[in-house]
Amino acid sequence: MTPLIKICGLSTPETLDAALDAGADFVGFVRFQKSPRHVSLDLARDLSRRARGRTQRVALVVDPQDAELADIVEAIDPDLLQLHGHETPERVAAIRARFGRPVMKVLGIGEAADLEAISAYRGVADRIMLDAKPPRTAGALPGGNGLTFDWRLLIGLDPAIAFMLSGGLDPDNVAQAIRLTGAAAVDVSSGVEKSPGVKDPGKIEAFIRAARTASAVGVS
């Protein structure tokens, strides 16, 4: 099975084209002002139009209000909304119903107990992203921190769960992560950057190649 690949935090036409040309299945645009990957609505609109019809476009938001989401949906026309905050299952269901877009809920994982939250969200979210739990430091971002979690926690996870693996992935470790977890989808942001918020086209291509290679050697 070939894993789906998401390149998140894209902010320039050049790096977006690198992801598209390499065959990314999803491209993500961040709408969170504290992030170095945050893009304006005007830029996000232009990038989304450039990607339309070539891949799935994802808008990443953190605890958004409905008015903010309305602006994002109008500008980006996302194929998927990625909720990366503290949204409850009820809020996830409400967003999905109000805006008529598939939703991916991100859950921070640090220990086995964190996986228990999956059951509360899998009935209301179209997909679950399992990301490394952010550090407990002032100003820590909800994601994009370049941290991994113990992938062995996912061994034995119900294969029916549509999850995307994230957190500290890069071209050097993504194949190992896929082989160990059997992840059918992977996400990367900081792992393909030269510096925070600045994507590297070569690393994007290398990441996608490594993930595809992992699938070619028998990942199920």
Side-chain angles (χ1 to χ4, degrees), residues 77-152:
D77 187 27
D79 300 293
L80 183 69
L81 290 169
Q82 178 175 328
L83 305 180
H84 217 307
H86 297 91
E87 300 88 2
T88 64
E90 293 76 17
R91 177 62 175 151
V92 172
I95 289 173
R96 190 175 186 274
R98 176 165 184 147
F99 294 97
R101 307 292 167 121
V103 171
M104 176 161 62
K105 178 67 182 96
V106 183
L107 300 178
I109 306 299
E111 57 187 31
D114 294 324
L115 295 172
E116 296 174 5
I118 293 175
S119 61
Y121 287 95
R122 64 183 300 189
V124 295
D126 298 273
R127 186 180 292 275
I128 302 290
M129 177 181 285
L130 302 179
D131 195 2
K133 184 175 285 187
R136 296 179 179 177
T137 55
L141 297 172
N145 296 297
L147 302 175
T148 61
F149 64 91
D150 186 352
W151 300 324
R152 292 173 297 179

Side-chain angles (χ1 to χ4, degrees), residues 184-209:
V186 292
D187 167 82
V188 66
S189 187
S190 62
V192 291
E193 291 181 341
K194 303 174 184 178
S195 58
V198 181
K199 293 290 186 286
D200 183 322
K203 289 184 179 181
I204 290 172
E205 194 278 332
F207 182 89
I208 293 175
R209 183 175 63 249

Side-chain angles (χ1 to χ4, degrees), residues 4-194:
L4 299 174
I5 299 169
K6 175 173 172 280
I7 308 296
C8 196
L10 293 159
S11 60
T12 68
E14 294 76 19
T15 54
L16 173 61
D17 286 349
L20 295 172
D21 291 344
D25 300 288
F26 302 85
V27 293
F29 309 116
V30 175
R31 286 290 302 166
F32 183 55
Q33 290 191 0
K34 294 181 180 180
S35 171
R37 303 164 189 96
H38 173 76
V39 290
S40 69
L41 281 180
D42 286 342
L43 177 55
R45 178 186 290 107
D46 291 343
L47 294 173
S48 182
R49 286 174 176 170
R50 194 179 187 93
R52 180 182 293 137
R54 300 181 64 187
T55 189
Q56 297 289 297
R57 300 158 299 161
V58 182
L60 185 157
V61 292
V62 179
D63 296 314
Q65 298 299 311
D66 283 352
E68 176 188 359
L69 277 171
D71 290 341
I72 288 169
V73 168
E74 189 281 327
I76 301 176
D77 187 27
D79 300 293
L80 183 69
L81 290 169
Q82 178 175 328
L83 305 180
H84 217 307
H86 297 91
E87 300 88 2
T88 64
E90 293 76 17
R91 177 62 175 151
V92 172
I95 289 173
R96 190 175 186 274
R98 176 165 184 147
F99 294 97
R101 307 292 167 121
V103 171
M104 176 161 62
K105 178 67 182 96
V106 183
L107 300 178
I109 306 299
E111 57 187 31
D114 294 324
L115 295 172
E116 296 174 5
I118 293 175
S119 61
Y121 287 95
R122 64 183 300 189
V124 295
D126 298 273
R127 186 180 292 275
I128 302 290
M129 177 181 285
L130 302 179
D131 195 2
K133 184 175 285 187
R136 296 179 179 177
T137 55
L141 297 172
N145 296 297
L147 302 175
T148 61
F149 64 91
D150 186 352
W151 300 324
R152 292 173 297 179
L153 294 173
L154 305 186
I155 296 175
L157 191 67
D158 182 353
I161 297 171
F163 78 92
M164 180 176 287
L165 180 64
S166 188
L169 298 178
D170 60 37
D172 295 326
N173 67 15
V174 65
Q176 177 189 2
I178 292 171
R179 292 184 183 114
L180 184 61
T181 66
V186 292
D187 167 82
V188 66
S189 187
S190 62
V192 291
E193 291 181 341
K194 303 174 184 178

